[in-house]
């Protein structure tokens, strides 16, 4: 009788305790957030002085606002997550979620067309960049990547030297910093020797005489304070350039369809928001360097520009066809031709 009574008491206590726990759990459950935050790591080689960093911050703010804080973009500037040439490896290996993509052999068509010798009209730049990104989207997908953000540097990819030069087409053996296969071919075609140097190492290379000339975007050049070591600029306007920031496809696909739409729309809006600010910032940096007396900028005439492009374009078109295949090569070259000036 006593044993039965004690068993009943234990059962009652356990039952009451379980009910209490269930009630507490329910109450706690109601206090939990509706969804966990997703953090996306965006890696960029630009530093925080660069106007493009403001563009990434603008992009991050749009995404945070429109997802109600459920998606956070963390920006890692100055190549702090990985080196210049490691964008694909960084995305495939999980070092970053969004990164710039340089000329990589795993993306053969992108490698030879993301920088192309052409004088382009930037009036329709946003649509042109979008069309180009769509043309290399399948190649990116095969590498597990999704094009997200077009970073157009057609406006400011230029040349600097430690002293005035008579002709960009006659480099007289100068060692010139190159960013990829096209620029290396151009330098060699014009009698120079290409040298690869990562953006963060260019200042020391120029200061120590490792290079006699530099090919680089004006924004990056100015952000790294390079006017003081190599002050003579040739404003040649010889490139279509688009270093696309791509995203790991698995990370992109882990987002909800709504979040994916928010991310891609915020990227396009940011490109349009940044374009006039970027161009004005570049112009100001060139003007400041010249006005301060430490720099000089010489612009090529249309005839000289056409001659320089003619000396390399046919040769490079064969590279484009071999890497992209005839059909895609024609589509990309037609896009460039439709936006020529």
């Amino acid at each position: 009788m006593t044993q039965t009574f004690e068993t009943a008491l234990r059962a009652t206590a356990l039952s009451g305790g379980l009910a209490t726990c269930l009630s507490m759990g329910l109450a706690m459950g109601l206090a939990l957030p509706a969804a966990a935050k997703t953090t996306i790591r965006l890696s960029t080689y630009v530093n925080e002085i660069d106007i493009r960093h403001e563009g990434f911050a603008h992009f991050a703010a749009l995404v945070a606002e429109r997802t109600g804080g459920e998606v956070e973009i963390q920006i890692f500037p100055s190549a702090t997550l990985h080196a210049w040439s490691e964008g694909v490896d960084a995305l495939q290996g999980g070092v970053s979620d969004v990164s710039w993509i340089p000329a990589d052999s795993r993306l053969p068509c992108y490698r030879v067309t993301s920088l192309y010798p052409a004088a382009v009209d930037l009036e329709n730049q946003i649509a042109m960049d979008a069309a180009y990104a769509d043309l290399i989207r399948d190649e990116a997908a095969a590498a597990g990547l999704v094009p997200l953000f077009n970073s157009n540097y057609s406006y400011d990819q230029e040349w600097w030297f430690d002293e005035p030069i008579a002709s960009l087409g006659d480099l007289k053996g100068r060692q010139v910093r190159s960013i990829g296969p096209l620029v290396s071919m151009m330098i060699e075609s014009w009698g120079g020797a290409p040298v690869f140097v990562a953006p963060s190492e260019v200042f020391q290379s120029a200061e120590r005489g490792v290079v006699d000339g530099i090919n680089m975007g004006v924004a990056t050049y100015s952000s790294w304070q390079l006017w003081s070591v190599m002050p003579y600029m040739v404003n040649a306007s010889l490139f279509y350039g688009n270093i696309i920031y791509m995203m790991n496809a698995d990370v992109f696909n882990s987002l909800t369809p709504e979040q994916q739409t928010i991310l891609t729309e915020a990227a396009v809006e940011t490109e349009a928001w940044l374009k006039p600010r970027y161009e004005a910032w570049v112009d100001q940096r060139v003007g400041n360097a010249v006005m301060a007396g430490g720099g000089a900028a010489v612009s090529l005439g249309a005839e000289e520009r056409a001659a320089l492009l003619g000396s390399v374009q046919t040769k490079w078109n064969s590279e484009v066809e071999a890497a992209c295949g005839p059909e895609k090569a024609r589509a990309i070259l037609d896009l460039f031709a439709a936006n020529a000036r």
Side-chain angles (χ1 to χ4, degrees):
M1 181 73 175
T2 303
Q3 186 176 3
T4 304
F5 179 70
E6 289 176 352
T7 301
L9 282 176
R10 289 195 193 98
T12 302
L14 286 170
S15 177
L18 181 60
T20 301
C21 288
L22 286 171
S23 297
M24 291 177 63
L26 182 61
M28 290 176 68
L30 290 173
L32 290 174
K37 178 184 286 188
T38 297
T39 299
I40 294 172
R41 294 159 298 167
L42 189 156
S43 174
T44 178
Y45 61 92
V46 306
N47 63 26
E48 292 176 275
I49 299 173
D50 196 308
I51 187 66
R52 289 168 293 180
H53 189 274
E54 290 185 25
F56 293 125
H58 181 79
F59 170 64
L62 288 178
V63 171
E65 177 187 354
R66 294 175 185 179
T67 63
E70 292 178 5
V71 178
E72 177 190 13
I73 306 292
Q74 286 187 347
I75 304 166
F76 293 84
S78 304
T80 50
L81 288 185
H82 59 84
W84 167 264
S85 60
E86 297 170 357
V88 175
D89 290 321
L91 290 177
Q92 291 180 342
V95 174
S96 60
D97 303 310
V98 177
S99 295
W100 78 89
I101 302 298
D104 192 290
S105 59
R106 286 163 289 188
L107 301 166
C109 187
Y110 173 84
R111 180 175 182 267
V112 299
T113 56
S114 58
L115 190 69
Y116 178 81
V120 297
D121 182 352
L122 296 178
E123 184 67 28
N124 197 37
Q125 177 192 313
I126 303 301
M128 180 186 183
D129 290 346
Y132 172 74
D134 283 340
L135 286 168
I136 55 88
R137 192 172 296 275
D138 57 346
E139 181 175 86
L145 308 175
V146 177
L148 179 63
F149 190 100
N150 292 303
S151 181
N152 187 298
Y153 59 107
S154 308
Y155 187 77
D156 78 332
Q157 187 71 22
E158 296 300 351
W159 309 81
W160 286 262
F161 298 91
D162 52 1
E163 59 184 4
I165 65 169
S167 171
L168 185 60
D170 184 12
L171 292 173
K172 300 183 183 301
R174 289 181 174 87
Q175 304 224 64
V176 182
R177 185 256 181 175
S178 170
I179 67 165
L182 168 63
V183 176
S184 294
M185 186 270 282
M186 295 170 90
I187 293 167
E188 289 173 342
S189 296
W190 300 335
V195 180
F196 176 78
V197 184
S200 59
E201 299 168 2
V202 174
F203 187 96
Q204 292 87 346
S205 297
E207 193 175 41
R208 296 169 186 169
V210 175
V211 294
D212 308 304
I214 295 170
N215 175 262
M216 185 180 260
V218 179
T220 307
Y221 194 89
S222 299
S223 297
W224 291 104
Q225 309 296 324
L226 286 160
W227 285 99
S228 61
V229 292
M230 204 156 283
Y232 297 98
M233 173 185 170
V234 178
N235 180 26
S237 300
L238 296 175
F239 298 103
Y240 169 74
N242 184 1
I243 292 183
I244 299 181
Y245 282 74
M246 298 192 190
M247 187 170 183
N248 178 291
D250 289 338
V251 176
F252 183 80
N253 291 331
S254 71
L255 301 174
T256 67
E258 182 183 9
Q259 290 170 343
Q260 291 174 2
T261 299
I262 288 171
L263 211 64
T264 54
E265 289 182 351
V268 174
E269 288 183 36
T270 299
E271 291 170 25
W273 179 89
L274 183 59
K275 183 180 187 299
R277 292 167 173 81
Y278 174 63
E279 293 175 359
W281 192 85
V282 166
D283 291 347
Q284 183 183 47
R285 290 306 178 277
V286 175
N288 287 349
V290 173
M291 290 295 291
V298 177
S299 295
L300 297 187
E303 187 174 332
E304 187 175 2
R305 180 182 300 110
L308 287 171
L309 289 172
S311 70
V312 296
Q313 198 172 72
T314 301
K315 187 190 302 185
W316 196 249
N317 285 352
S318 64
E319 298 281 343
V320 172
E321 184 165 342
C324 303
E327 184 178 348
K328 183 166 290 185
R330 178 47 48 203
I332 291 175
L333 294 179
D334 285 349
L335 176 66
F336 295 153
N339 289 273
R341 65 178 173 87

